[in-house]
Amino acid sequence: MAFNRILSATDFSADAGAALRRAVLLASQHKASLEVLHVVPEESLQSLRQWVPVDCADRIVVAVREELEGCAVGAAKHTGMRIDTRATVGRVIDTILERAAASDLVVIGAHGTNPLKDMVLGTTAERIAGRSPAPVLVVRAPPAQPYSKVLVAVDLLPGAEEALALALGFAPAATLVAVHAFDIPFGGMLHRAGVTQPVIDQHRVRAHRDALDRLAALSRSVSGAADRFLAYAERGHPAAVILERQQAMGADLVVIRKRARSLAEAVFLGSVTRHVLADAASDVLVLAEPKR
């Protein structure tokens, strides 16, 4: 996948500033165009007009545009690249998603300026990642260099190879690790069914070997080399395995595909993606669910 058009959404928070700097780095790396977007909440302006002079709200929009332009200039001053800025009034989530539909990548900070609202409704990043048709990069760490250690969460379901291919194109010089969490069907009931521990252990060994073989096959199909993605498989809950491996290898990016298993998860985020997005110490790149 080519990253020709990058969108960075900002609310002028510290995390949004880190996201903008990462977006500049990526745009320079991929020779992409970059648009920085700030959405002034329409409902907030309407409330403001009831309490202050009529033109005050208009002056605020002008001030926002000036601040946005200043942020863009500051972020790109060492690169010489041109950044397009867009400040508009509207519904924040809907407006970002409209611009996301015309982008190859959306870059957004992990947390915004309203922590209490984030706790009640979920962060803007979570809501954008849950609905965006384009991949969404949620930035948590201030960028110092291109990504060097990338963990790709692989569930071995249809479309899993797309996550590997995206990671390879996104960070081609990085160490790439494909991680799969597996389980044994009815594992907790085998003892009760009279299956001996040696047989259970053999079943787990076969499941582990099969997962590694399938990861190697995916690596070969995507890159041409079975070992381009280092394969790691472990029995356990997917979110826990992903988070533990991210910390153990010091990954600075996790790539994960959204999977919806219910109507609620289709509207928001799948449970595994939500846990990873909330608890990973690294940036997280979320891919949209495969089209059916």
Side-chain angles (χ1 to χ4, degrees), residues 80-95:
M81 68 178 296
R82 178 176 174 270
I83 298 178
D84 296 322
T85 60
R86 180 185 296 265
T88 186
V89 178
R91 296 179 179 274
V92 175
I93 302 298
D94 291 342
T95 303

Side-chain angles (χ1 to χ4, degrees), residues 6-87:
I6 297 177
L7 172 69
S8 178
T10 182
D11 60 1
F12 304 119
S13 64
D15 277 8
L20 176 54
R21 294 193 296 277
R22 175 60 73 179
V24 169
L25 189 62
L26 289 168
S28 178
Q29 179 183 350
H30 293 276
K31 296 179 173 56
S33 66
L34 173 59
E35 176 181 281
V36 185
L37 170 69
H38 177 80
V39 184
V40 180
E42 185 176 32
E43 62 274 18
S44 298
L45 280 186
Q46 290 176 348
S47 298
L48 182 64
R49 288 190 174 102
Q50 298 177 7
W51 299 99
V52 298
V54 175
D55 66 340
C56 181
D58 297 329
R59 293 201 302 270
I60 286 176
V61 174
V62 171
V64 165
R65 288 183 175 137
E66 292 176 349
E67 183 172 356
L68 185 63
E69 186 66 30
C71 288
V73 171
K77 64 182 178 180
H78 298 303
T79 67
M81 68 178 296
R82 178 176 174 270
I83 298 178
D84 296 322
T85 60
R86 180 185 296 265

Side-chain angles (χ1 to χ4, degrees), residues 31-258:
K31 296 179 173 56
S33 66
L34 173 59
E35 176 181 281
V36 185
L37 170 69
H38 177 80
V39 184
V40 180
E42 185 176 32
E43 62 274 18
S44 298
L45 280 186
Q46 290 176 348
S47 298
L48 182 64
R49 288 190 174 102
Q50 298 177 7
W51 299 99
V52 298
V54 175
D55 66 340
C56 181
D58 297 329
R59 293 201 302 270
I60 286 176
V61 174
V62 171
V64 165
R65 288 183 175 137
E66 292 176 349
E67 183 172 356
L68 185 63
E69 186 66 30
C71 288
V73 171
K77 64 182 178 180
H78 298 303
T79 67
M81 68 178 296
R82 178 176 174 270
I83 298 178
D84 296 322
T85 60
R86 180 185 296 265
T88 186
V89 178
R91 296 179 179 274
V92 175
I93 302 298
D94 291 342
T95 303
I96 295 174
L97 289 171
E98 287 174 6
R99 298 304 301 167
S103 305
D104 299 314
L105 175 69
V106 179
V107 184
I108 193 167
H111 299 285
T113 57
N114 192 334
L116 181 59
K117 185 177 179 181
D118 287 352
M119 290 175 62
V120 175
L121 299 177
T123 66
T124 297
E126 289 174 348
R127 287 180 282 167
I128 295 298
R131 296 169 56 190
S132 173
V136 177
L137 175 63
V138 181
V139 176
R140 179 169 280 109
Q145 60 185 7
Y147 294 115
S148 61
K149 295 181 181 180
V150 178
L151 182 157
V152 187
V154 183
D155 54 16
L156 297 177
L157 295 175
E161 68 281 355
E162 294 176 12
L164 296 174
L166 184 139
L168 185 61
F170 194 73
T175 297
L176 302 170
V177 180
V179 174
H180 175 68
F182 69 93
D183 202 356
I184 306 301
F186 306 104
M189 301 297 292
L190 294 179
H191 277 298
R192 295 185 183 182
V195 181
T196 64
Q197 188 61 48
V199 172
I200 294 174
D201 291 341
Q202 290 176 7
H203 191 29
R204 289 174 177 170
V205 168
R206 284 195 299 270
H208 181 256
R209 186 183 302 115
D210 178 67
L212 293 178
D213 289 344
R214 294 175 69 184
L215 290 174
L218 282 174
S219 177
R220 186 183 297 107
S221 69
V222 167
S223 69
D227 59 353
R228 179 62 183 89
F229 288 81
L230 304 178
Y232 180 86
E234 183 175 325
R235 179 170 169 263
H237 186 277
V241 170
I242 293 165
L243 292 170
E244 289 170 3
R245 184 48 32 186
Q246 182 272 319
Q247 291 186 346
M249 67 176 280
D252 47 12
L253 177 66
V254 171
V255 178
I256 188 168
R257 161 143 263 166
K258 174 191 170 187

